[in-house]
């Protein structure tokens, strides 16, 4: 059998794309409509809530089944899955406010984008733009510059546990005494919801800001893509959004747990 030298080899990508350096990334980001990046930030909040809802439902039940299995190989697999689910919940929650990298879909970057827009004289009178800048600063201070204990805990869990393995738990008593707590993450995300809510209301106060999302959805003169309502997204109680992830997790568990027993796979 002959071989095709042009075929993609294992471990190779068929794409010629390479990671962008900082300058190229900045240029690429500048081509993305501001309204689209705003939607991405609000979507990141929704996804974080869904991840948390999934984790708080699935992880405890997976650990319980692992304990029931004892030393069975499936127990280790379920422990691994439970940890991975919890780590994703932490990472997604931290991503809502993240200040690392201009390309992240975070509230911090969304606020930076609006700050840049407000430097443009066409975005309203000097007084209106200054008032909007003050509101941006207030939102930033509420959850980013001055972090609450809950958001600080999320950042810690992201930096010292979910993002990478760290030696810190061996020398930092806080790590042993404060394992990941889904209730704390929920409270932190509810604070982010309130900040995003204020941000959504801010975007309605100046016509030029309100038009950013509409402009980003316009594909051409005859086509408009479907987007999300920034105001509507943040008006939902957090429990309503968590319920989406909880229902997904329960469906997954109902379909899988009956088969995850010590004698599964045996005839």
């Amino acid at each position: 059998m002959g071989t095709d030298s042009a075929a993609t080899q294992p471990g190779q990508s068929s794409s010629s794309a390479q990671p962008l350096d900082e300058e190229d990334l900045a240029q690429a980001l500048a081509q993305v409509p501001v309204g689209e990046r705003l939607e991405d930030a609000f979507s990141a909040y929704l996804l974080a809530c869904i991840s948390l809802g999934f984790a708080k439902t699935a992880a405890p039940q997976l650990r319980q089944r692992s304990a029931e299995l004892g030393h069975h190989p499936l127990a280790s697999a379920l422990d691994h899955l439970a940890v991975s689910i919890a780590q994703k919940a932490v990472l997604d929650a931290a991503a809502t406010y993240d200040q690392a990298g201009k390309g992240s879909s975070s509230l911090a970057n969304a606020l930076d984008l609006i700050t840049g827009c407000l430097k443009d004289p066409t975005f309203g009178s000097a007084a209106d733009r200054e008032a909007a800048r003050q509101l941006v600063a207030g939102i930033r201070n509420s959850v980013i510059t001055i972090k609450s204990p809950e958001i600080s805990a999320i950042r810690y869990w992201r930096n010292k546990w979910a993002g990478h393995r760290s030696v810190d738990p061996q020398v930092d008593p806080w790590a042993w005494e404060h394992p990941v707590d889904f209730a704390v993450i929920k409270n932190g995300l509810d604070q982010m919801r309130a900040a995003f809510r204020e941000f959504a209301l801010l975007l309605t106060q100046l016509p030029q800001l309100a038009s950013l999302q509409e402009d980003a959805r316009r594909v051409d003169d005859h086509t408009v893509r479907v987007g999300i309502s920034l105001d509507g997204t943040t008006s939902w109680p957090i429990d309503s959004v968590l319920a989406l992830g909880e229902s997904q997790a329960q469906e997954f568990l109902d379909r899988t747990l009956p088969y995850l027993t010590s004698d599964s796979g045996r005839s």
Side-chain angles (χ1 to χ4, degrees):
M1 180 182 295
T3 58
D4 184 354
S5 59
T8 301
Q9 299 300 311
Q12 294 181 337
S13 171
S14 60
S15 171
S16 60
Q18 297 295 321
L20 298 178
D21 60 26
E22 190 170 334
E23 181 179 351
D24 289 338
L25 177 61
Q27 293 177 358
L29 289 172
Q31 303 304 312
V32 181
V34 172
E36 184 175 328
R37 295 196 62 191
L38 294 178
E39 281 195 5
D40 287 345
F42 280 76
S43 296
Y45 158 74
L46 289 177
L47 291 174
C49 292
I50 293 171
S51 288
L52 176 59
F54 191 99
K56 68 191 289 287
T57 300
Q61 295 191 55
L62 291 172
R63 292 193 182 101
Q64 179 180 344
R65 180 55 55 89
S66 172
E68 294 169 356
L69 289 169
H71 297 293
H72 192 281
L74 269 178
S76 295
L78 294 177
D79 286 338
H80 179 80
L81 184 57
V83 168
S84 297
I85 289 170
Q87 287 177 323
K88 186 177 188 306
V90 171
L91 292 172
D92 287 350
T96 61
Y97 68 81
D98 202 358
Q99 297 165 272
K102 293 298 183 182
S104 66
S105 297
S106 65
L107 179 61
N109 282 338
L111 291 171
D112 285 344
L113 289 169
I114 295 304
T115 298
C117 290
L118 293 173
K119 295 177 181 178
D120 186 341
T122 65
F123 272 72
S125 68
D128 286 343
R129 287 185 287 118
E130 178 57 28
R133 277 193 289 266
Q134 292 299 320
L135 291 173
V136 168
I139 296 169
R140 188 185 303 278
N141 285 335
S142 69
V143 290
I144 297 172
T145 305
I146 303 173
K147 293 180 175 63
S148 68
E150 292 82 5
I151 292 178
S152 293
I154 292 171
R155 182 177 63 171
Y156 184 96
W157 290 325
R158 188 272 309 273
N159 292 346
K160 305 300 182 182
W161 178 70
H164 57 79
R165 290 188 62 84
S166 172
V167 72
D168 286 23
Q170 301 176 33
V171 296
D172 184 353
W174 193 96
W176 291 113
E177 297 170 7
H178 298 83
V180 170
D181 186 330
F182 293 139
V184 171
I185 298 176
K186 175 185 175 182
N187 289 338
L189 282 177
D190 202 26
Q191 293 163 23
M192 292 303 302
R193 183 202 62 78
F196 273 109
R197 176 69 172 163
E198 291 297 318
F199 190 32
L201 295 176
L202 163 64
L203 294 173
T204 66
Q205 294 188 10
L206 292 178
Q208 295 83 353
L209 293 180
S211 68
L212 289 172
Q213 190 180 19
E214 180 181 344
D215 292 343
R217 291 178 180 174
R218 184 179 296 110
V219 177
D220 54 42
D221 291 341
H222 307 287
T223 309
V224 177
R225 68 175 179 83
V226 176
I228 64 172
S229 166
L230 307 188
D231 180 55
T233 295
T234 54
S235 66
W236 301 335
I238 189 170
D239 285 329
S240 298
V241 190
L242 292 178
L244 298 175
E246 292 167 357
S247 63
Q248 293 172 6
Q250 198 58 56
E251 178 74 13
F252 165 73
L253 294 168
D254 290 344
R255 290 174 177 267
T256 56
L257 285 184
Y259 298 97
L260 298 176
T261 63
S262 58
D263 59 351
S264 60
R266 297 178 181 176
S267 57

